[in-house]
Amino acid sequence: MKQLLILSGKGGTGKTTVAAAFIKLSSCDTFADCDVDAPNLHLLMNQETVPQTTDFYGMDKYVINQHKCIACGLCFTSCRYDAINKDDGIYKINDIACEGCSVCEYVCPVDAISLKPNISGELVLYKSDVIFSTGKLATGGGNSGLLVTEVKNALGKNTNESLEIIDGSPGIGCPVLASMSGASLVLLVTEPTLSGYSDMTRIASTARKLRLPTAVCINKVTTDGRIVNKIIDYCTEYDLPMIGTIPYDNQVAVNINKGLTIVDTDCEAGRAVAKIYENIIELLN
Amino acid sequence: MKIVLPIEKVNNEDLIGTSFGRSESFMYFDSEKDETLITVNPAAKLQGGAGIKAAQKVIDMGADIVILPQCGQNAMDLFNAANMSVKKSVDRDILSNIEKCLNNKLATLNEAHPGFHHKQ
Amino acid sequence: MKIAVLSGKGGTGKTFCTVNIAASQPGSTYVDCDIEEPNGHLFLKPEKVIEEDVEVFFPVVDKLVCDGCRKCVDFCKFNAMGFVGDNVIIFNDICHSCGGCALVCPQHAISDVPKKVGTILQGVSGTNKVITGMLEIGQESGVPIIKEIESKLKNNEDLVFVDCAPGTSCAAVESVQNADFCLLVAEPTIFGAHNLEMIYDLVKSLNKPCGVVLNKSIGGYNPSLEYCENQNIPIMGEIFYDFELGKMNSEALVAVWEDIKYQTIFNGIFQKIMKEANNETITNS
């Protein structure tokens, strides 16, 4: 099994658009969306089967039993996260701010505080002739590498020679590192803006530390080539294959809004992505 | 020699786990007593700090050597503090790795990855 | 008046909108709470910058006093501690600074030592104040930095625009909690509409008045607009994609300072927000 991981750093560079096109082109039968903050791949994959969903439990939260509470305020003064609110003499724990450290439970003199399991997201698995795993973090659910790991694990262990495509998480933090585990090749989809460039370099340096083979492509390219050149210079310096550019193309939004990938109709961006796909296959072999 | 390996079940077969902190269980093997023991990894489903918790478990099991494919920085720090020898597995087969280890044919794992939990 | 600018994910033009709406209102304050990737300062290029560290307390064990009871290791819900030989080992990158270990230590061997987790930069750009929060690389949570910025803004009567962290994470929630109005930035694709839905749920759950800016419009069908119409969310303005704008953006220029057309557009958005916010206060009182 070869696993291709698609990452971007900055959001909105077209990571999911490229991933969806690759899934179409490769007709691969296992893929995952690890962007658990804002999963979007399912919008293009037109799964007809009803997915299995599983609750994902995050760090436990704590709750105050109002019958036992004597309003001494010890929990309120001990909490380092300002997660305990005092309202009309009644103490309550704010679930969003609570980090589950259990200090409040420890200091409570009357055992009024106990933990409560906390559903912080869900795992979604579509199983038909293809296996498509995705997940969604609940509001304020914090960043969760574990949910990303579980999304990837839900794909099962693929022992044949086929390609597995992973739409990675945005940003540079913990979920990205979690999505990197087990990848054969990382494709960075960047865009010719200063922020796109700066985030791309941050991810590339992380991938370098993990010794993951990495390639780069540039999306939304217009006639102005200055930042494109900057990206190319960076790739040359660090010996990263620059495997193609995708022009800015209004047809991309039109296709996506119909639930189509960009290789479903003949357009400039679609042709460019097809070429990048060929280069990826060459790199993987 | 007391050896510990992270293991996970793949198609009903026990193999060396790919991720140390999140592997399902640990296999403990005492070469002098020829004794084998399997313990559940208490860190497998933790939100954070899995590498540390798992390494602590391995140290508390009294191992001299741990064999794994890769190791996070925090777990490595703990192993080093406990003067444990960390060996890099060559494939996923448990028995062949133990055998190679006993014959001193496994390389020492010197470098840790930055971990999958924090930013670069 | 504090206006929080949000988007369901990165790359929708949240920073572009916040920077320009702030620049369109002389004397207002621009605050960058996108602490993982603060990009607003690239556009506003603040001068006379004052830097201030944000510190959080981390535990340190006095080896001479510690008797090796391991109570701290067992207590730590984040598994940030190990025990080897006769020593407690603390991993600061995992530690959440809850203070629990010091509380449970029977020997009082654990004390708190401050450590830098980020920086707050305050400067001026023309008539605008610019405040930027930056997370130290390797740090897990930006919430302490956002809290520190919030406390600075507490008694601020000025007009403040907050560029929030993307998505619905704890960091985004933290910046929304004290806002008077939330401006949601949405792209014209089904991805955009799906992400708008997520962020709208968050804002609704916190009972904040809000409105939407449709960004990167290309004419034709706009799924985000359709969502707003169905949910009765007021539209504050629409910004059309154009190559000139893309160029200004990639060179990190402030559009309202370059082109009077954008001054008019963003001032229009601001006037609409004021009207909407006032309506909201009247209906609520």
Side-chain angles (χ1 to χ4, degrees):
Chain A
M1 188 267 302
K2 293 213 162 103
Q3 193 179 78
L4 173 67
L5 171 67
I6 303 176
L7 290 175
S8 65
K10 183 178 175 301
T13 64
K15 179 171 56 62
T16 300
T17 307
V18 170
F22 281 10
I23 290 164
K24 215 32 176 285
L25 289 167
S26 66
S27 42
C28 83
D29 51 14
T30 39
F31 46 93
D33 187 353
C34 287
D35 187 351
V36 294
D37 281 310
N40 278 333
L41 188 61
H42 63 286
L43 298 171
L44 292 184
M45 286 298 122
N46 310 316
Q47 294 296 310
E48 277 152 20
T49 46
V50 181
Q52 309 163 13
T53 59
T54 320
D55 285 338
F56 173 75
Y57 289 88
M59 209 60 197
D60 290 328
K61 305 271 173 180
Y62 285 79
V63 62
I64 302 176
N65 181 338
Q66 298 301 338
H67 297 297
K68 287 189 181 172
C69 176
I70 53 166
C72 67
L74 265 176
C75 55
F76 180 79
T77 48
S78 305
C79 178
R80 295 269 183 99
Y81 311 113
D82 302 328
I84 298 177
N85 298 327
K86 187 182 170 184
D87 223 354
D88 273 342
I90 295 171
Y91 292 94
K92 278 190 180 153
I93 296 177
N94 168 0
D95 273 356
I96 291 176
C98 175
E99 299 204 16
C101 70
S102 84
V103 161
C104 54
E105 182 194 32
Y106 177 78
V107 299
C108 180
V110 292
D111 288 334
I113 303 181
S114 56
L115 61 82
K116 62 164 189 191
N118 159 44
I119 295 173
S120 72
E122 64 174 6
L123 287 153
V124 180
L125 187 67
Y126 297 88
K127 242 178 170 170
S128 53
D129 43 338
V130 299
I131 297 172
F132 170 27
S133 174
T134 170
K136 166 86 188 72
L137 209 56
T139 299
N143 59 353
S144 180
L146 183 58
L147 180 55
V148 169
T149 307
E150 301 259 312
V151 165
K152 287 186 78 171
N153 285 347
L155 285 176
K157 295 272 177 334
N158 199 338
T159 44
N160 56 29
E161 279 300 291
S162 66
L163 181 66
E164 201 166 280
I165 294 177
I166 311 287
D167 185 2
S169 318
I172 53 160
C174 135
V176 177
L177 285 155
S179 62
M180 279 178 172
S181 120
S184 320
L185 177 69
V186 177
L187 174 64
L188 295 179
V189 180
T190 184
E191 61 173 28
T193 61
L194 277 179
S195 42
Y197 169 78
S198 109
D199 291 354
M200 185 268 299
T201 60
R202 294 178 80 163
I203 301 249
S205 87
T206 307
R208 205 155 46 237
K209 278 186 199 152
L210 292 170
R211 281 191 236 105
L212 281 173
T214 306
V216 177
C217 72
I218 314 173
N219 191 15
K220 301 186 185 179
V221 173
T222 59
T223 43
D224 183 14
R226 272 170 287 183
I227 297 173
V228 171
N229 289 335
K230 220 173 136 96
I231 295 171
I232 293 174
D233 288 347
Y234 179 88
C235 291
T236 317
E237 189 184 339
Y238 288 98
D239 209 15
L240 301 174
M242 230 310 290
I243 59 167
T245 58
I246 307 163
Y248 180 87
D249 185 345
N250 278 339
Q251 190 65 32
V252 173
V254 174
N255 275 22
I256 286 171
N257 286 347
K258 289 184 190 151
L260 296 173
T261 75
I262 55 172
V263 291
D264 286 325
T265 59
D266 184 47
C267 64
E268 231 188 313
R271 285 193 293 272
V273 167
K275 210 168 270 165
I276 292 171
Y277 174 72
E278 283 172 27
N279 292 336
I280 282 283
I281 294 303
E282 209 167 290
L283 278 178
L284 275 171
N285 296 327
Chain B
M1 246 185 292
K2 298 180 184 98
I3 304 170
V4 170
L5 311 91
I7 58 174
E8 64 189 21
K9 265 208 169 23
V10 182
N11 300 331
N12 260 334
E13 191 189 352
D14 281 329
L15 294 177
I16 295 184
T18 46
S19 161
F20 167 68
R22 304 229 179 267
S23 65
E24 290 160 24
S25 43
F26 294 121
M27 181 185 276
Y28 170 91
F29 175 71
D30 186 332
S31 64
E32 279 135 47
K33 295 184 190 155
D34 199 24
E35 207 175 65
T36 310
L37 195 80
I38 289 180
T39 316
V40 170
N41 173 13
K45 297 265 172 186
L46 289 178
Q47 282 282 312
I52 298 168
K53 184 96 171 178
Q56 183 73 52
K57 176 77 190 169
V58 169
I59 292 166
D60 291 344
M61 285 165 90
D64 314 305
I65 299 178
V66 59
I67 305 175
L68 30 72
Q70 56 176 353
C71 183
Q73 189 62 56
N74 290 335
M76 186 65 103
D77 287 352
L78 222 46
F79 288 140
N80 288 342
N83 278 323
M84 265 178 67
S85 151
V86 184
K87 299 284 182 190
K88 187 170 167 51
S89 55
V90 283
D91 53 30
R92 299 193 66 185
D93 187 83
I94 295 168
L95 289 179
S96 84
N97 275 286
I98 290 180
E99 203 184 290
K100 287 195 178 82
C101 180
L102 292 172
N103 293 323
N104 224 348
K105 280 188 178 145
L106 286 184
T108 300
L109 185 66
N110 291 317
E111 221 181 275
H113 66 69
F116 294 128
H117 41 77
H118 53 158
K119 287 160 205 94
Q120 54 175 343
Chain C
M1 172 92 179
K2 214 175 107 194
I3 297 160
V5 185
L6 298 145
S7 67
K9 67 172 183 92
T12 57
K14 174 176 58 63
T15 297
F16 161 71
C17 285
T18 323
V19 162
N20 279 285
I21 196 167
S24 79
Q25 304 303 313
S28 67
T29 303
Y30 166 86
V31 178
D32 204 339
C33 280
D34 190 354
I35 33 108
E36 262 194 55
E37 283 149 358
N39 284 329
H41 66 103
L42 298 175
F43 291 85
L44 291 165
K45 304 170 186 75
E47 291 166 351
K48 297 182 216 148
V49 177
I50 303 165
E51 214 179 304
E52 185 189 323
D53 290 351
V54 180
E55 289 178 334
V56 161
F57 289 101
F58 287 99
V60 170
V61 180
D62 184 341
K63 282 183 190 172
L64 297 173
V65 183
C66 173
D67 68 354
C69 73
R70 277 201 193 204
K71 286 213 168 84
C72 54
V73 180
D74 296 337
F75 182 85
C76 182
K77 288 277 186 287
F78 309 103
N79 307 301
M81 301 175 114
F83 188 83
V84 173
D86 288 323
N87 291 322
V88 174
I89 298 173
I90 298 170
F91 295 91
N92 279 356
D93 57 341
I94 306 290
C95 175
H96 283 51
S97 305
C98 73
C101 50
L103 271 177
V104 300
C105 178
Q107 304 298 325
H108 305 291
I110 303 178
S111 52
D112 278 331
V113 172
K115 193 190 147 206
K116 181 179 174 185
V117 293
T119 317
I120 295 174
L121 304 154
Q122 300 193 66
V124 287
S125 172
T127 65
N128 296 107
K129 267 185 240 154
V130 180
I131 302 177
T132 306
M134 261 184 193
L135 188 67
E136 195 85 342
I137 283 180
Q139 284 303 317
E140 180 93 1
S141 165
V143 172
I145 300 164
I146 296 174
K147 275 197 176 143
E148 188 59 41
I149 294 179
E150 290 296 333
S151 73
K152 282 190 194 308
L153 294 174
K154 220 168 204 172
N155 301 314
N156 192 328
E157 295 297 315
D158 297 347
L159 184 56
V160 178
F161 298 95
V162 183
D163 191 345
C164 300
T168 56
S169 63
C170 317
V173 174
E174 195 66 43
S175 336
V176 175
Q177 267 166 350
N178 300 313
D180 301 301
F181 188 89
C182 294
L183 186 65
L184 317 180
V185 182
E187 284 183 354
T189 61
I190 52 169
F191 291 174
H194 183 240
N195 298 330
L196 173 62
E197 190 180 331
M198 286 173 30
I199 201 77
Y200 179 60
D201 283 345
L202 165 71
V203 170
K204 228 173 29 182
S205 74
L206 294 170
N207 275 322
K208 296 290 176 185
C210 68
V212 166
V213 168
L214 301 166
N215 193 23
K216 303 189 188 179
S217 287
I218 47 171
Y221 171 55
N222 185 337
S224 290
L225 175 61
E226 187 180 69
Y227 178 76
C228 292
E229 283 169 347
N230 289 338
Q231 299 289 324
N232 245 329
I233 313 170
I235 304 291
M236 301 292 107
E238 183 166 16
I239 297 151
F240 284 84
Y241 181 85
D242 103 37
F243 278 111
E244 271 313 302
L245 191 58
K247 212 168 144 190
M248 283 191 268
N249 243 336
S250 70
E251 285 170 30
L253 296 171
V254 178
V256 305
W257 291 342
E258 300 296 318
D259 188 338
I260 184 79
K261 183 175 101 186
Y262 289 105
Q263 171 65 31
T264 315
I265 292 175
F266 279 96
N267 186 43
I269 292 173
F270 176 69
Q271 298 307 332
K272 263 204 162 150
I273 292 174
M274 291 310 280
K275 222 171 127 189
E276 192 61 37
N278 285 332
N279 275 343
E280 199 71 28
T281 5
I282 292 162
T283 36
N284 283 349
S285 57

